[in-house]
């Protein structure tokens, strides 16, 4: 038997959250943590969690599994079971709505704050804007983010200042646009990040890198932003339209 | 939510346009409307980037003349008509293929990170069913791609641009039922916030169903868990027709055991299928294009190999997709997501070993019938009758550009082209004074009945086992190959399942983020879609495209070169003519479909 401890909280009846234990027959083959949650929900349908694609691309089911943030749908039980025990909690640092469901408003606010869209007011050509494969390669490792929040909610700086520190996920996206040869707003993007909190609250703890279920590296992107900011400070005109590479 | 909800005790939120669904088609519609200044809201049961468009992999097919400067949208149109086995509407296919380049370039201008050729233009790869020169010029490469994450890139780009334009989202709100007035006009929906439980009447002059597919009617599907046909369920319950519901695409390459999609782009890049003898069997079934035949053709060939004892593995119940010969460089640069999925769900690294695959339910070609402006229509006395106030786009709609079988890469094109078209039409219509009359309190109360019944249930059936029953029934009787006697059994079983689905027990009546309430309502939508599918499939007595019948193995153009229309009021099937009148060229006449 597996001993599964789940964080439970229903605001309508629970004064405080509590851990509820479920005994589940160990499945014959290795299953994902999400499959396990579905098995539990079949027995106790009061359990709430988010899920959608069940293959690690939609970012719905980020949660804290035996102490580590990850996506339930691509985390095999065999990777996380400690003996026969498993403890699942909601993503840390965000308010809990119910059970494993957190309120992601702060997280999405930070994402919107970095203007997560291409800015290029020049008249577009009749066809596509050209981009060399080399310039396009610079977006790899950045655009693939699925906004699951595993990184930002593993970051102590984000726990302390979720309203002021942009956090690793949104900073990764900030750099995704800074690195895009088609974007023309590098100066204003950097300017918006130059205060003491937005980027500089990152102290390189690197939890984000360990947590990212897509193998992305927000810490590296943050480093790039910091060095772009530094270059900008030393010599404002060094930051050109393709400043990411200078 | 436990007391009876009525028009008296819920609030009304009023909009010009309401879009149900935050996937590709919904967000392309909302983007158009956000720019128009009309008061619009997107109602999405998940945060928009969690929508199923995110899972699309291989690309968006369109004659942008990048891989081939001489490419022609008419060739794309020919391929699509042929792929559809000649029951796609040629005016709609013409519109999609000719408007396509504009829609794709717009996505690029919005920032979509397409892969690139050396000259800086958008990368295009070969996909199944593609040809040059109306089938005479060999294989085309027409599918525009962002590696093998095109859906993710497209959906995020659309969300980002909606943020830019300040679109209004009601995220994690669930639409329960359409509100319909006495004149049969749709005046909005009843919906509730999943987080707070608050129920509201969302009133609008235009309501767009952009709710995607319903692959979860099958036990094995590439579709996300959220693909439960909510829009179609609502429109069927309101008595509006559905079209071509027997046409479900089984994708050749779902990962064996898990169902996750493995893009056709793998075969486009040079991968191929092998059976238990190691034979590249598609050479026998489609000598010209082999593994890049239409998806229906490849899926059937795979099932035949398995049925004839040439499957792979211990139980010989799947085949292999071989990719290792492409080399690590190609796989890592062109198909990185597939490598990841394969390692996670099939426990094989495609750089060294083939991926075990089986045909898996993938796409609903049918849906709410619409014209090219997204206007939904129903059928009365064998005539198309526009439903004022109701629109549909994307997989939820049947416009119909996919007919009996969709070509790979055409779904992303469909949703941007027709999402955009619906937005443009609604803006024009509402600006010129169009709109609908209000609904009465009793109309609103009627649309609250389903939710109230569920909330007040004291006993009845649990959701999970009934859902499994439904999915097993559909999988067993309405799969890749179909036969009348089995389908009759399936239809009878669905009648029994309907009894249960209409008497579900919601044991947890709590308000905040109660996903069991959502799942119960979703199951009721699944049943509507399943029933429409089953009755349509049983009555189309021929084999065409994805609808393959053992007992009627031939295509029957004399009797069935037509759409099927399912009428939910008397559960009957009727026929509707296919459009053979494109505006700028002659129609492609039906011919024998070989690859």
């Amino acid at each position: 038997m597996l001993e599964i401890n789940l964080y439970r909280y229903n605001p309508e009846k629970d004064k405080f959250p509590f851990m509820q234990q479920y005994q589940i027959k160990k499945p014959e083959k290795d299953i994902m943590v999400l499959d396990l949650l579905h098995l539990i929900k079949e027995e106790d349908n009061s359990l709430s969690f988010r899920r959608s694609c069940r293959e690690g691309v939609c970012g719905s089911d980020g949660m804290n599994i035996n102490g580590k943030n990850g996506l339930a749908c691509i985390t095999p039980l065999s990777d996380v079971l400690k003996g026969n025990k498993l403890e699942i909690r909601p993503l840390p640092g965000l308010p809990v709505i119910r059970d494993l469901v957190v309120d992601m408003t702060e997280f999405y606010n930070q994402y919107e704050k970095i203007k997560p869209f291409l800015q290029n007011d020049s008249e577009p050509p009749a066809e596509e804007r050209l981009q060399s494969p080399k310039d396009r390669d610079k977006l790899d490792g950045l655009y693939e983010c699925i906004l699951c929040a595993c990184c930002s909610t593993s970051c102590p700086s984000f726990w302390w200042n979720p309203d002021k520190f942009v956090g690793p996920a949104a900073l990764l996206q900030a750099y995704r646009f800074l690195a895009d040869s088609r974007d023309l707003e590098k100066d204003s993007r950097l300017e918006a990040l130059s205060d003491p909190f937005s980027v500089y609250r990152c102290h390189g703890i690197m939890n984000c890198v360990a947590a990212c279920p897509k193998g992305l590296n927000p810490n590296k992107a943050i480093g790039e932003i910091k060095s772009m900011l530094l270059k900008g400070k030393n010599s404002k005109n060094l930051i050109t339209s393709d400043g990411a590479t200078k | 939510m436990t007391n009876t909800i009525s028009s008296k005790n819920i609030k009304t939120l009023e909009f010009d346009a309401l879009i149900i669904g935050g996937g590709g088609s919904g967000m392309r519609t909302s983007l158009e409307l956000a720019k128009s200044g009309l008061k619009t809201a997107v109602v999405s049961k998940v945060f928009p980037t969690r929508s199923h468009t995110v899972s699309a992999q291989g690309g968006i097919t369109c004659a942008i003349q990048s891989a081939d400067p001489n490419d022609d949208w008419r060739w794309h149109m020919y391929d699509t008509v042929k792929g559809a086995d000649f029951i796609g509407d040629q005016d709609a296919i013409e519109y999609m293929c000719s408007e396509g380049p504009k829609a794709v370039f717009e996505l690029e201008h919005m920032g979509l990170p397409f892969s690139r050729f050396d000259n800086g233009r958008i990368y295009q790869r070969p996909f199944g069913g593609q040809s040059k020169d109306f089938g005479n010029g060999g294989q085309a490469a027409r599918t525009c791609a962002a590696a093998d994450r095109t859906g993710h890139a497209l959906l995020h780009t659309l969300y980002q641009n909606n943020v830019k334009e300040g679109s209004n989202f009601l995220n994690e709100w669930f639409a329960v039922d359409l509100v319909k007035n006495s004149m049969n006009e749709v005046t909005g929906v009843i919906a509730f916030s999943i987080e707070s439980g608050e129920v509201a009447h969302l009133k609008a002059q235009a309501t767009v169903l952009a709710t995607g597919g319903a692959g979860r009617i099958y036990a094995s599907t590439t579709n996300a868990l959220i693909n439960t046909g909510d829009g179609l369920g609502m429109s069927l319950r309101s008595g509006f027709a559905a079209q071509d519901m027997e046409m479900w695409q089984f994708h050749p390459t779902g990962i064996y055991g898990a169902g996750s999609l493995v893009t056709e782009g793998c075969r486009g890049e040079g991968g191929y299928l092998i059976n238990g003898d190691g034979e590249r069997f598609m050479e026998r079934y489609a000598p010209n294009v082999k593994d890049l035949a239409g998806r229906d053709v490849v899926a059937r060939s795979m099932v035949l190999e398995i049925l004839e004892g040439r499957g792979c593995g211990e139980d010989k119940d799947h085949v292999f997709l071989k990719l290792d010969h492409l080399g690590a460089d190609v796989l890592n640069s062109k198909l990185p997501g597939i490598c990841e999925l394969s390692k996670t769900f099939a426990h094989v690294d495609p750089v060294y070993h083939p991926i075990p695959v089986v045909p898996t339910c993938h796409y609903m070609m049918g849906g709410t019938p619409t014209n090219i402006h997204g206007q939904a229509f129903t059928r009365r006395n064998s005539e198309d009758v526009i439903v004022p106030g109701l629109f549909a786009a994307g997989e939820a709609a049947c416009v119909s550009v996919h007919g009996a079988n969709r070509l790979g890469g055409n779904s992303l094109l469909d949703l941007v082209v027709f999402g955009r078209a619906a937005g443009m039409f609604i803006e024009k219509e509402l600006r010129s004074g169009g709109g609908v009359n209000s609904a009465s309190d009793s109309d609103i109360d009627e649309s609250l009945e389903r939710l109230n019944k569920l909330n007040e249930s004291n006993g009845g059936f649990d959701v999970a086992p009934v859902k499994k029953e439904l999915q097993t029934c559909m999988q067993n009787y309405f799969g890749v190959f179909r036969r009348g006697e089995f389908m009759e059994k399936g239809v009878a079983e669905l009648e029994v399942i309907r009894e249960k689905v209409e008497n579900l027990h919601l044991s947890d009546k709590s308000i905040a983020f109660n996903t069991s309430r959502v799942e119960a309502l979703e199951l009721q939508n699944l049943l509507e879609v399943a029933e429409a599918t089953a009755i349509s499939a049983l009555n189309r007595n021929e084999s065409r495209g994805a609808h393959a019948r053992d007992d009627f193995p031939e295509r029957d153009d004399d009797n069935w070169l037509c759409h099927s229309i399912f009428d939910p009021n008397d559960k009957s099937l009727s026929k509707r003519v296919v459009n053979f009148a494109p505006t700028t060229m002659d129609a492609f006449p039906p011919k024998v479909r070989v690859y």
Side-chain angles (χ1 to χ4, degrees):
Chain A
M1 293 300 274
L2 300 176
E3 188 186 310
I4 315 292
N5 285 289
L6 296 185
Y7 180 103
R8 300 299 313 269
Y9 174 65
N10 179 342
E12 291 153 58
K13 57 186 182 75
D14 303 323
K15 210 165 169 191
F16 301 104
F18 62 99
M19 297 304 289
Q20 184 169 352
Q21 195 178 101
Y22 295 86
Q23 300 283 336
I24 297 288
K25 198 171 159 246
K26 188 166 184 175
E28 279 171 23
K29 57 171 193 163
D30 198 12
I31 61 172
M32 299 295 174
V33 171
L34 180 65
D35 301 326
L36 179 81
L37 288 174
H38 279 138
L39 288 176
I40 294 174
K41 190 165 171 68
E42 279 179 24
E43 303 299 316
D44 176 359
N45 71 11
S46 73
L47 175 67
S48 279
F49 51 90
R50 292 188 177 105
R51 83 286 181 277
S52 172
C53 75
R54 60 82 175 93
E55 57 189 19
V57 292
C58 81
S60 295
D61 61 351
M63 51 191 74
N64 188 272
I65 305 162
N66 264 351
K68 190 174 176 240
N69 288 356
L71 297 177
C73 61
I74 53 169
T75 304
L77 275 187
S78 58
D79 276 13
V80 285
L81 274 180
K82 282 185 186 147
N84 61 347
K85 285 188 185 167
L86 188 65
E87 188 172 287
I88 306 178
R89 296 168 176 269
L91 289 175
L94 293 174
V96 174
I97 296 172
R98 172 174 176 167
D99 300 336
L100 302 174
V101 178
V102 292
D103 180 350
M104 295 176 74
T105 309
E106 292 270 29
F107 175 79
Y108 295 137
N109 284 348
Q110 293 298 350
Y111 177 65
E112 290 192 16
K113 205 155 92 183
I114 60 102
K115 299 197 174 168
F117 40 81
L118 191 82
Q119 297 184 75
N120 184 331
D121 285 340
S122 70
E123 186 61 31
E127 298 181 333
E128 71 270 46
R129 289 195 167 96
L130 298 180
Q131 184 172 47
S132 70
K134 207 173 128 218
D135 278 341
R136 170 58 184 77
D137 284 351
K138 290 171 190 157
L139 309 182
D140 283 342
L142 306 173
Y143 83 95
E144 301 93 323
C145 171
I146 58 173
L147 300 178
C148 65
C150 285
C151 62
S152 292
T153 61
S154 71
C155 172
S157 297
F158 190 76
W159 297 339
W160 279 109
N161 297 104
D163 53 336
K164 287 189 273 192
F165 174 49
V166 169
L171 286 171
L172 187 79
Q173 289 317 294
Y175 184 62
R176 175 249 174 277
F177 288 100
L178 283 166
D180 195 320
S181 62
R182 301 168 297 173
D183 193 275
L184 299 183
E185 288 296 327
K186 300 213 166 19
D187 288 351
S188 63
R189 287 185 186 280
L190 287 172
E191 180 63 34
L193 296 171
S194 61
D195 64 283
F197 279 91
S198 297
V199 179
Y200 290 111
R201 282 288 137 158
C202 168
H203 300 305
I205 298 166
M206 306 260 276
N207 280 2
C208 54
V209 183
C212 179
K214 304 304 286 182
L216 308 179
N217 190 334
N219 188 69
K220 185 162 171 259
I222 293 169
E224 300 283 358
I225 297 174
K226 281 180 178 170
S227 74
M228 286 174 85
L229 280 165
L230 209 61
K231 276 186 203 165
K233 217 169 248 169
N234 293 340
S235 166
K236 196 87 188 163
N237 58 11
L238 262 181
I239 295 172
T240 60
S241 63
D242 60 347
T245 61
K246 293 269 149 142
Chain B
M1 249 205 224
T2 44
N3 298 324
T4 301
I5 310 155
S6 85
S7 53
K8 304 274 184 295
N9 57 24
I10 57 171
K11 71 175 173 190
T12 297
L13 302 173
E14 209 169 330
F15 302 95
D16 296 317
L18 203 56
I19 295 149
I20 316 299
S25 64
M27 287 210 287
R28 187 62 191 82
T29 309
S30 66
L31 187 59
E32 207 59 37
L33 290 169
K35 289 189 273 190
S36 76
L38 290 168
K39 191 177 175 194
T40 309
V42 180
V43 179
S44 180
K45 65 178 176 177
V46 293
F47 183 78
T49 62
R50 326 281 183 219
S51 306
H52 186 54
T53 304
V54 82
S55 293
Q57 298 171 350
I60 175 167
T61 301
C62 187
I64 62 161
Q65 302 180 321
S66 172
D68 174 5
N70 298 315
D71 200 8
D72 191 319
W73 65 262
R74 291 166 195 87
W75 301 348
H76 180 198
M77 177 176 169
Y78 167 83
D79 292 344
T80 304
V81 169
K82 178 183 169 188
D85 220 346
F86 300 94
I87 62 161
D89 287 319
Q90 297 204 14
D91 58 340
I93 298 173
E94 176 190 38
Y95 182 80
M96 178 177 80
C97 296
S98 60
E99 286 288 297
K102 205 184 296 172
V104 169
F105 293 139
E106 279 170 0
L107 288 170
E108 196 283 331
H109 298 155
M110 286 180 213
L112 199 156
F114 281 111
S115 302
R116 302 286 173 155
F117 283 122
D118 284 342
N119 64 4
R121 292 209 60 190
I122 293 172
Y123 174 73
Q124 291 185 295
R125 60 162 56 108
F127 247 54
Q130 290 180 358
S131 76
K132 299 181 181 189
D133 194 18
F134 309 107
N136 300 316
Q139 176 73 39
R142 195 174 288 131
T143 301
C144 311
D148 56 357
R149 301 187 178 100
T150 317
H152 169 280
L154 185 147
L155 189 69
H156 280 253
T157 301
L158 284 176
Y159 180 68
Q160 291 162 352
N161 281 268
N162 273 279
V163 168
K164 180 181 178 189
E165 300 296 339
S167 296
N168 180 24
F169 286 97
L170 293 173
N171 288 337
E172 296 185 326
W173 276 65
F174 186 85
V176 179
D177 267 309
L178 297 173
V179 178
K180 192 176 79 165
N181 66 20
S182 58
M183 303 159 77
N184 248 338
E185 299 171 329
V186 171
T187 65
V189 297
I190 296 297
F192 65 89
S193 157
I194 298 171
E195 179 181 338
S196 73
E198 180 191 13
V199 183
H201 168 215
L202 309 180
K203 189 181 168 190
Q205 301 300 317
T207 301
V208 185
L209 301 176
T211 46
R216 287 284 153 182
I217 63 170
Y218 287 94
S220 168
T221 173
T222 64
N223 283 196
L225 292 155
I226 59 170
N227 284 25
T228 52
D230 300 333
L232 201 50
M234 292 194 286
S235 71
L236 286 166
R237 268 191 304 276
S238 292
F240 302 130
Q243 180 171 267
D244 295 340
M245 287 306 296
E246 65 277 32
M247 300 302 178
W248 282 85
Q249 178 165 82
F250 288 79
H251 196 290
T253 54
I255 292 180
Y256 171 70
S260 300
L261 171 68
V262 176
T263 176
E264 187 169 299
C266 291
R267 284 171 282 138
E269 297 288 350
Y272 56 86
L273 297 163
I274 52 174
N275 62 19
D277 304 330
E279 182 204 8
R280 185 176 182 180
F281 58 88
M282 281 311 298
E283 288 178 337
R284 276 188 276 119
Y285 295 94
N288 298 318
V289 298
K290 306 181 182 77
D291 295 79
L292 289 179
R295 286 179 178 173
D296 55 333
V297 175
V298 180
R300 276 193 293 276
S301 309
M302 292 167 69
V303 172
L304 286 174
E305 288 300 297
I306 292 166
L307 289 176
E308 288 167 11
R310 292 188 295 277
C312 302
E314 215 170 288
D315 298 328
K316 301 190 175 208
D317 56 354
H318 57 275
V319 301
F320 281 137
L321 174 63
K322 184 175 148 52
L323 295 172
D324 58 304
H325 56 285
L326 300 179
D329 286 350
V330 169
L331 290 175
N332 290 329
S333 64
K334 300 285 189 354
L335 302 164
I338 293 307
C339 295
E340 215 177 290
L341 277 174
S342 176
K343 284 182 223 164
T344 306
F345 289 103
H347 310 295
V348 297
D349 182 346
V351 171
Y352 306 104
H353 302 287
I355 310 175
V357 290
V358 279
T360 305
C361 168
H362 183 57
Y363 189 85
M364 175 175 84
M365 269 78 74
T368 297
T370 70
N371 60 23
I372 60 170
H373 307 299
Q375 286 182 289
F377 58 81
T378 189
R379 294 280 283 182
R380 241 170 270 139
N381 307 323
S382 306
E383 296 282 338
D384 295 351
V385 180
I386 294 283
V387 181
L390 187 65
F391 297 78
E395 191 171 345
C398 180
V399 52
S400 141
V401 286
H402 309 305
N405 171 63
R406 175 172 72 75
L407 289 191
N410 269 355
S411 61
L412 292 183
L413 187 65
D414 171 5
L415 57 83
V416 289
V417 167
F418 291 104
R420 176 174 169 271
M424 293 190 302
F425 182 84
I426 290 167
E427 180 184 4
K428 211 171 108 198
E429 172 108 325
L430 298 189
R431 290 275 179 232
S432 60
V436 291
N437 296 287
S438 290
S440 67
D441 283 358
S442 66
D443 295 330
I444 296 166
D445 289 338
E446 208 174 301
S447 301
L448 282 161
E449 274 173 15
R450 185 167 73 110
L451 185 58
N452 277 326
K453 182 175 178 186
L454 187 66
N455 285 341
E456 289 162 10
S457 61
N458 294 317
F461 298 90
D462 288 339
V463 170
V466 179
K467 194 195 293 180
K468 274 188 193 156
E469 237 180 285
L470 181 146
Q471 291 168 333
T472 306
C473 172
M474 294 306 291
Q475 192 77 29
N476 288 346
Y477 303 125
F478 303 94
V480 173
F481 285 104
R482 300 163 174 185
R483 188 183 297 175
E485 53 187 303
F486 293 146
M487 290 195 285
E488 275 167 19
K489 227 170 133 187
V491 169
E493 274 184 27
L494 284 176
E495 276 175 41
V496 178
I497 295 171
R498 174 175 281 280
E499 273 300 300
K500 299 179 184 175
V501 167
E502 288 182 353
N503 292 288
L504 293 174
H505 181 215
L506 182 68
S507 55
D508 175 12
K509 304 278 201 297
S510 62
I511 292 167
F513 227 102
N514 182 347
T515 53
S516 63
R517 176 180 287 115
V518 172
E519 288 181 18
L521 294 167
E522 287 175 334
L523 173 56
Q524 294 176 334
N525 291 328
L526 285 174
L527 175 77
E528 300 297 340
V529 177
E531 184 184 68
T533 300
I535 291 172
S536 304
L538 177 61
N539 283 285
R540 186 182 275 272
N541 292 329
E542 64 154 355
S543 290
R544 179 185 301 273
H547 180 62
R549 288 189 60 159
D550 290 345
D551 45 355
F552 294 95
E554 301 299 324
R555 193 173 87 186
D556 177 2
D557 283 351
D558 290 340
N559 294 300
W560 286 103
L561 185 65
C562 61
H563 295 295
S564 69
I565 293 284
F566 173 74
D567 180 346
N569 300 296
D570 59 4
K571 303 187 197 297
S572 64
L573 201 76
S574 59
K575 299 176 179 179
R576 179 175 170 259
V577 294
V578 171
N579 179 290
F580 279 91
T583 57
T584 62
M585 59 198 292
D586 291 337
F588 297 108
K591 61 175 188 178
V592 179
R593 183 166 164 254
V594 285
Y595 284 104

